[in-house]
Amino acid sequence: MPEHTSETAVKTVAETNKPPAEYPLADGRVAIHDPAIAEENGVYYIFGTHRRFAKSRDLVHWERFDNNLSRDPHALLDEIWHNWPSQPENPELEGNTWAPDVIWNETMRRWCMYLSVNGANFRSVIVLLTADHLDGDWTYVGPVVYSGFTPDNVRLTDVPRVLGDEAYGNLARYQSLKDTHINAIDATPIQCEHGEIWMSVGSWFGGIWMFRLDPATGLRDYTTRYPLVKNAADPYYGVKVAGGYWNSGEGSYFVRENGWWYLFMSYGWLGREGGYQIRLFRSKNLVGPYFDQNGNPAISSGEIPDNHTRGTGIRLTSSVKWSGGPTRDEEVEVSQGHNSALRRSSDGRLFLVYHTRFIARAEEDYETHIRELLPTPDGWLAAASYEYQGVPATAPTAQEQLTGEYEIVMHDPHTFFNGKRREDGSWEGVNAPRTITLHEDGRVTEGDVVSFYDTSAANMPRGTDGPATCGSWRLLGVSGAVAVPTPSETASPTPSETAGPNPSTTAHPDVCNPQSNATTDIASATSAAPRPLRESMWRPSCCRAEMAITVDDVTYTGVFAVLPRETDGRPTLTFTAIGGNRALWGARL
């Protein structure tokens, strides 16, 4: 099978015009691609590609349900389908309804669904549908944003309304995959902290863009104008927040927590061996700039071949095979991505929702999985070590329980499952665990006694007294007490987050802040002194065990949490942490 570069992805996406076959699932499991989650009246709903919908009361046991959109999409979408996306290369509507997301619009008092009606050659359109309830039927409202337009067909879109006479002029940038030629898919509506509704759109190629919606209609806000600033802002697509230059990156999703906006997006290609993976960035402002822990910007400044094997963005999950589960190739997640997130109304906890494929299952045999998101002491969000099984993360009850042997897994951003085996028979890109021991005195050791020479000229061999020390660990806060953090443990911005304003926001007023008509200075917004550590974070009960661990000269900060193992449900002490732009999981043996 050829390497999944962006060129092969173009062909593959164009061929994805029929709903895939459905495979048998374990009881309560559901297979929904590009899952978007929402909650209404204590019931959780997932909406996904090819109009697959499901609901649950516990986030574990799911059942599919239908509505008028799933039963008869032509009744709602035929007119817009034939007016824009329908072409000989993809003649069937059924396989071209992609990646919906939903949001409650308080002004309209209705649920708003933003759905991509996809076409070949990126001739796609995001449309709006509304409903009174998430399990009810939907009403078509109209188109929100188009892609794939050219001088020959731009009159069929709303581009002339937005650009004016420019729509009939030079549109070359909209035909360049290394400029602003995006595909109008993966819509994500976001309500900012000031109550305004924005929407991000785009995938791969031209990057991820964001523009404001009119809360009265749910459609584009035509009164907001955006300048043309290369790699930063566009009069039609709005503010650029990530990606570009034909680099992989799609499925954007935004969460606000701890005074930060977190941007999740998927790098790689969605196929089983395509290296699909979730990367994380954050910003003090919804429209950016977004950076990872090392200060790398989410917006690309040039072509990055195979960017899904590079170090930009924190990789939250990877393919893992360890004793707490998964243990079988049929269960090992590969190509995880296109996530959404839920804040549960009953307790405020956050959950990561994504689709995944598996090592030893068919290409289209995928599932929707959920993990709890836990806050780190330095203001990041980390995925729980085990899949959510109905029991939320809880704190260990005593400090002495924390010591002992652990398996640890580091989520390597440079590798992915590619279907090849190493010389020892293990799969490339599947991260195997290491066994370490946390000692009461703060040491972290690994392995057996080591014999070595460190005075070779004198020919004086010596050996360690026991397993070699590979790092250290410590608690940052126990039972409500807070240890004095080092500067790196506070939720302060990285140097790049305060280095200066984002071109996309200085080129365009901070319309997300109704109190401001001035251009936004992200530097001043992020340079304010951070709040005290524990006040600056959402605190489920597990946050009484905030920790720092150094392994192989990299320091990670995170949290201990008791979770049920995937193999047998046994409550197990785990930790999840982030450091050096990498995520680390641990589980006690």
PDB file of all heavy atoms in Angstrom, residues 4 7-17 98 269-271:
ATOM      1  N   HIS A   4       0.689   7.186   2.738  1.00  0.00           N
ATOM      2  CA  HIS A   4      -0.465   8.078   2.716  1.00  0.00           C
ATOM      3  C   HIS A   4      -0.021   9.530   2.809  1.00  0.00           C
ATOM      4  O   HIS A   4      -0.144  10.173   3.833  1.00  0.00           O
ATOM      5  CB  HIS A   4      -1.427   7.733   3.853  1.00  0.00           C
ATOM      6  CG  HIS A   4      -2.046   6.392   3.692  1.00  0.00           C
ATOM      7  ND1 HIS A   4      -2.877   6.086   2.645  1.00  0.00           N
ATOM      8  CD2 HIS A   4      -1.938   5.262   4.428  1.00  0.00           C
ATOM      9  CE1 HIS A   4      -3.288   4.832   2.751  1.00  0.00           C
ATOM     10  NE2 HIS A   4      -2.722   4.314   3.823  1.00  0.00           N
ATOM     11  N   GLU A   7      -1.068  13.735  -1.373  1.00  0.00           N
ATOM     12  CA  GLU A   7      -1.506  13.454  -2.732  1.00  0.00           C
ATOM     13  C   GLU A   7      -2.413  12.233  -2.784  1.00  0.00           C
ATOM     14  O   GLU A   7      -3.438  12.222  -3.465  1.00  0.00           O
ATOM     15  CB  GLU A   7      -0.294  13.240  -3.655  1.00  0.00           C
ATOM     16  CG  GLU A   7       0.488  14.510  -3.967  1.00  0.00           C
ATOM     17  CD  GLU A   7       1.525  14.830  -2.917  1.00  0.00           C
ATOM     18  OE1 GLU A   7       1.532  14.184  -1.848  1.00  0.00           O
ATOM     19  OE2 GLU A   7       2.338  15.732  -3.160  1.00  0.00           O
ATOM     20  N   THR A   8      -2.041  11.158  -2.060  1.00  0.00           N
ATOM     21  CA  THR A   8      -2.895   9.972  -2.080  1.00  0.00           C
ATOM     22  C   THR A   8      -4.179  10.231  -1.333  1.00  0.00           C
ATOM     23  O   THR A   8      -5.207   9.643  -1.635  1.00  0.00           O
ATOM     24  CB  THR A   8      -2.174   8.762  -1.460  1.00  0.00           C
ATOM     25  OG1 THR A   8      -1.824   9.067  -0.110  1.00  0.00           O
ATOM     26  CG2 THR A   8      -0.921   8.421  -2.223  1.00  0.00           C
ATOM     27  N   ALA A   9      -4.145  11.140  -0.352  1.00  0.00           N
ATOM     28  CA  ALA A   9      -5.370  11.460   0.384  1.00  0.00           C
ATOM     29  C   ALA A   9      -6.388  12.123  -0.532  1.00  0.00           C
ATOM     30  O   ALA A   9      -7.589  11.910  -0.401  1.00  0.00           O
ATOM     31  CB  ALA A   9      -5.064  12.363   1.571  1.00  0.00           C
ATOM     32  N   VAL A  10      -5.919  12.952  -1.490  1.00  0.00           N
ATOM     33  CA  VAL A  10      -6.840  13.591  -2.408  1.00  0.00           C
ATOM     34  C   VAL A  10      -7.636  12.546  -3.160  1.00  0.00           C
ATOM     35  O   VAL A  10      -8.860  12.618  -3.264  1.00  0.00           O
ATOM     36  CB  VAL A  10      -6.067  14.491  -3.405  1.00  0.00           C
ATOM     37  CG1 VAL A  10      -7.011  15.008  -4.472  1.00  0.00           C
ATOM     38  CG2 VAL A  10      -5.387  15.632  -2.687  1.00  0.00           C
ATOM     39  N   LYS A  11      -6.958  11.538  -3.664  1.00  0.00           N
ATOM     40  CA  LYS A  11      -7.634  10.488  -4.405  1.00  0.00           C
ATOM     41  C   LYS A  11      -8.594   9.718  -3.510  1.00  0.00           C
ATOM     42  O   LYS A  11      -9.732   9.435  -3.885  1.00  0.00           O
ATOM     43  CB  LYS A  11      -6.597   9.527  -5.011  1.00  0.00           C
ATOM     44  CG  LYS A  11      -7.231   8.361  -5.770  1.00  0.00           C
ATOM     45  CD  LYS A  11      -6.161   7.443  -6.333  1.00  0.00           C
ATOM     46  CE  LYS A  11      -6.793   6.249  -7.047  1.00  0.00           C
ATOM     47  NZ  LYS A  11      -5.772   5.333  -7.571  1.00  0.00           N
ATOM     48  N   THR A  12      -8.126   9.388  -2.309  1.00  0.00           N
ATOM     49  CA  THR A  12      -8.946   8.583  -1.423  1.00  0.00           C
ATOM     50  C   THR A  12     -10.200   9.319  -0.991  1.00  0.00           C
ATOM     51  O   THR A  12     -11.289   8.763  -0.983  1.00  0.00           O
ATOM     52  CB  THR A  12      -8.132   8.175  -0.182  1.00  0.00           C
ATOM     53  OG1 THR A  12      -6.921   7.570  -0.622  1.00  0.00           O
ATOM     54  CG2 THR A  12      -8.908   7.190   0.672  1.00  0.00           C
ATOM     55  N   VAL A  13     -10.074  10.605  -0.661  1.00  0.00           N
ATOM     56  CA  VAL A  13     -11.242  11.371  -0.245  1.00  0.00           C
ATOM     57  C   VAL A  13     -12.239  11.464  -1.387  1.00  0.00           C
ATOM     58  O   VAL A  13     -13.449  11.353  -1.195  1.00  0.00           O
ATOM     59  CB  VAL A  13     -10.818  12.766   0.248  1.00  0.00           C
ATOM     60  CG1 VAL A  13     -12.027  13.654   0.453  1.00  0.00           C
ATOM     61  CG2 VAL A  13     -10.040  12.645   1.548  1.00  0.00           C
ATOM     62  N   ALA A  14     -11.751  11.646  -2.601  1.00  0.00           N
ATOM     63  CA  ALA A  14     -12.648  11.733  -3.741  1.00  0.00           C
ATOM     64  C   ALA A  14     -13.399  10.436  -3.973  1.00  0.00           C
ATOM     65  O   ALA A  14     -14.520  10.429  -4.473  1.00  0.00           O
ATOM     66  CB  ALA A  14     -11.848  12.107  -4.996  1.00  0.00           C
ATOM     67  N   GLU A  15     -12.784   9.307  -3.591  1.00  0.00           N
ATOM     68  CA  GLU A  15     -13.430   8.015  -3.787  1.00  0.00           C
ATOM     69  C   GLU A  15     -14.410   7.679  -2.667  1.00  0.00           C
ATOM     70  O   GLU A  15     -15.185   6.741  -2.767  1.00  0.00           O
ATOM     71  CB  GLU A  15     -12.357   6.922  -3.863  1.00  0.00           C
ATOM     72  CG  GLU A  15     -11.491   7.020  -5.126  1.00  0.00           C
ATOM     73  CD  GLU A  15     -10.317   6.062  -5.091  1.00  0.00           C
ATOM     74  OE1 GLU A  15     -10.067   5.495  -4.006  1.00  0.00           O
ATOM     75  OE2 GLU A  15      -9.664   5.877  -6.122  1.00  0.00           O
ATOM     76  N   THR A  16     -14.388   8.456  -1.575  1.00  0.00           N
ATOM     77  CA  THR A  16     -15.238   8.151  -0.431  1.00  0.00           C
ATOM     78  C   THR A  16     -16.618   8.752  -0.660  1.00  0.00           C
ATOM     79  O   THR A  16     -17.001   9.711  -0.016  1.00  0.00           O
ATOM     80  CB  THR A  16     -14.626   8.690   0.869  1.00  0.00           C
ATOM     81  OG1 THR A  16     -13.276   8.260   0.948  1.00  0.00           O
ATOM     82  CG2 THR A  16     -15.375   8.185   2.090  1.00  0.00           C
ATOM     83  N   ASN A  17     -17.372   8.210  -1.627  1.00  0.00           N
ATOM     84  CA  ASN A  17     -18.670   8.791  -1.958  1.00  0.00           C
ATOM     85  C   ASN A  17     -19.811   7.823  -1.737  1.00  0.00           C
ATOM     86  O   ASN A  17     -20.916   8.038  -2.219  1.00  0.00           O
ATOM     87  CB  ASN A  17     -18.680   9.304  -3.400  1.00  0.00           C
ATOM     88  CG  ASN A  17     -18.329   8.215  -4.405  1.00  0.00           C
ATOM     89  OD1 ASN A  17     -18.287   7.037  -4.069  1.00  0.00           O
ATOM     90  ND2 ASN A  17     -18.060   8.618  -5.633  1.00  0.00           N
ATOM     91  N   TRP A  98     -21.217  14.807   5.388  1.00  0.00           N
ATOM     92  CA  TRP A  98     -20.055  14.567   6.238  1.00  0.00           C
ATOM     93  C   TRP A  98     -20.066  15.438   7.492  1.00  0.00           C
ATOM     94  O   TRP A  98     -20.488  16.591   7.492  1.00  0.00           O
ATOM     95  CB  TRP A  98     -18.767  14.887   5.469  1.00  0.00           C
ATOM     96  CG  TRP A  98     -18.425  13.925   4.369  1.00  0.00           C
ATOM     97  CD1 TRP A  98     -19.174  12.903   3.889  1.00  0.00           C
ATOM     98  CD2 TRP A  98     -17.227  13.937   3.583  1.00  0.00           C
ATOM     99  NE1 TRP A  98     -18.527  12.260   2.864  1.00  0.00           N
ATOM    100  CE2 TRP A  98     -17.334  12.877   2.656  1.00  0.00           C
ATOM    101  CE3 TRP A  98     -16.090  14.733   3.572  1.00  0.00           C
ATOM    102  CZ2 TRP A  98     -16.320  12.602   1.721  1.00  0.00           C
ATOM    103  CZ3 TRP A  98     -15.089  14.454   2.642  1.00  0.00           C
ATOM    104  CH2 TRP A  98     -15.207  13.402   1.742  1.00  0.00           C
ATOM    105  N   TRP A 269      -3.844  10.937   7.945  1.00  0.00           N
ATOM    106  CA  TRP A 269      -4.964  10.531   7.087  1.00  0.00           C
ATOM    107  C   TRP A 269      -5.803   9.511   7.841  1.00  0.00           C
ATOM    108  O   TRP A 269      -5.287   8.719   8.635  1.00  0.00           O
ATOM    109  CB  TRP A 269      -4.438   9.944   5.775  1.00  0.00           C
ATOM    110  CG  TRP A 269      -5.526   9.497   4.862  1.00  0.00           C
ATOM    111  CD1 TRP A 269      -6.414  10.276   4.189  1.00  0.00           C
ATOM    112  CD2 TRP A 269      -5.846   8.138   4.536  1.00  0.00           C
ATOM    113  NE1 TRP A 269      -7.276   9.491   3.470  1.00  0.00           N
ATOM    114  CE2 TRP A 269      -6.952   8.174   3.657  1.00  0.00           C
ATOM    115  CE3 TRP A 269      -5.312   6.898   4.903  1.00  0.00           C
ATOM    116  CZ2 TRP A 269      -7.525   7.023   3.137  1.00  0.00           C
ATOM    117  CZ3 TRP A 269      -5.885   5.753   4.391  1.00  0.00           C
ATOM    118  CH2 TRP A 269      -6.970   5.820   3.505  1.00  0.00           C
ATOM    119  N   LEU A 270      -7.108   9.492   7.583  1.00  0.00           N
ATOM    120  CA  LEU A 270      -8.031   8.738   8.417  1.00  0.00           C
ATOM    121  C   LEU A 270      -7.987   7.228   8.230  1.00  0.00           C
ATOM    122  O   LEU A 270      -8.609   6.491   9.017  1.00  0.00           O
ATOM    123  CB  LEU A 270      -9.458   9.247   8.207  1.00  0.00           C
ATOM    124  CG  LEU A 270     -10.026   9.193   6.777  1.00  0.00           C
ATOM    125  CD1 LEU A 270     -10.532   7.824   6.377  1.00  0.00           C
ATOM    126  CD2 LEU A 270     -11.151  10.230   6.624  1.00  0.00           C
ATOM    127  N   GLY A 271      -7.309   6.698   7.221  1.00  0.00           N
ATOM    128  CA  GLY A 271      -7.269   5.260   6.998  1.00  0.00           C
ATOM    129  C   GLY A 271      -6.566   4.502   8.116  1.00  0.00           C
ATOM    130  O   GLY A 271      -5.834   5.077   8.927  1.00  0.00           O
TER     131      GLY A 271
END
